[in-house]
Amino acid sequence: FHAAVGHYQRAIELEPEWAQPYARLALVYQARAGLGGPDLQWEYYPKAKETALRAIELDDTVAAAHAALARVLWNHEWNWAAAETHYLRAIEVDPNQGPWRYSRFLRLMGRHDDAIEFLNEARERDPTSLGLRYRTGLNYLCAGRFSEAEAEARALLEGAPDRPGGHELLGRAFLHTSRYEAALAEFETIREELERRSWTAGLIPYARAKAGDVVGARHMLEELEANIRDLWCPELHLVLGQEDRAMAQIEAAFAARRDVLLLIRCNPEYERLMEIPRFREIIDAIRFPN
């Protein structure tokens, strides 16, 4: 990350009126924000916005700048309409500009059919893309089309058995269809990969708890909390009977405008959360469309 930032900044020094390095630097900043906790997000999302706006000021046809700006607008500022304007501009000037980015935006907006249609069009242009297949599977999950999500996961595993995406996707499909032991087996296969990310580390203890091993899940949660900063697992707290801890995590994410909060709509416990008045207030404040 620091090496990338240094090179882009040097490119800007050498050619300060060239938009491309600003746009690429903005993508690096927003990616760094997305991989960090609240402190890094407050630091790097504004940097990404400022840098992307400078790129657009220099050259409105640089797709990467619009894509980076869009990510900040919806992930950090919850400005969904403005974000879509910039995604569409990015696609207008470069149809191959990160289709998974716009599809993720559509998915979290609740526009699942639009997201799947967009991904299918992208896959026609790039039929061998494993990333597009993975994103399609995630959209099927959020749309409640679990058999199709499972089919995408199995196709992904057939094409790339050594990559973690297929196992994660299949495990999530199993979770949504109450096959908890099978989900646990898939997640255990990629435990190291899941525990690298604060927002997926709780999948294994969650599956364990749903499978009936509540004691084991509690022990795993304690270990994760000791080793992973900014752990995000409100669904695990709920299934362990810790509603107050689940809401404390959600409240903290809301106060910090953490982008991970936007994943909540695809949470298996989402309907259960909607029974909590304060949670409904937070959802209203985020201004989720649809």
Side-chain angles (χ1 to χ4, degrees), residues 107-108 112 138 142 176 262-268 270:
R107 167 164 52 94
L108 297 181
H112 304 303
L138 285 179
C142 289
H176 282 278
L262 303 184
L263 301 174
I264 203 77
R265 291 185 84 174
C266 296
N267 188 304
Y270 181 73

Side-chain angles (χ1 to χ4, degrees), residues 17 84 95 167 190 201 220 231 252 279 283:
E17 300 303 309
E84 183 158 32
H167 292 288
I190 55 168
M220 280 198 70
L231 180 67
F279 179 77
I283 292 298

Side-chain angles (χ1 to χ4, degrees), residues 251 254 276-287:
E251 288 275 14
F254 177 68
I276 304 171
R278 176 54 183 155
F279 179 77
R280 293 199 301 272
E281 291 174 4
I282 288 173
I283 292 298
D284 289 342
I286 295 172
R287 303 187 301 276

Side-chain angles (χ1 to χ4, degrees), residues 12 17 41 58 84 101 109 120 128 138 164 185 199-200 215 243 253 255 258 262 267 274 278 281:
I12 290 168
E17 300 303 309
Q41 293 192 1
L58 290 170
E84 183 158 32
R101 293 188 179 99
M109 283 183 77
N120 286 336
T128 63
L138 285 179
W199 62 94
T200 58
V215 174
E243 181 180 301
R258 283 191 69 189
L262 303 184
N267 188 304
M274 288 297 286
R278 176 54 183 155
E281 291 174 4

Side-chain angles (χ1 to χ4, degrees), residues 97-111:
Q97 174 58 45
W100 61 270
R101 293 188 179 99
Y102 184 50
S103 70
R104 184 171 185 261
F105 170 77
L106 291 172
R107 167 164 52 94
L108 297 181
M109 283 183 77
R111 288 166 53 186

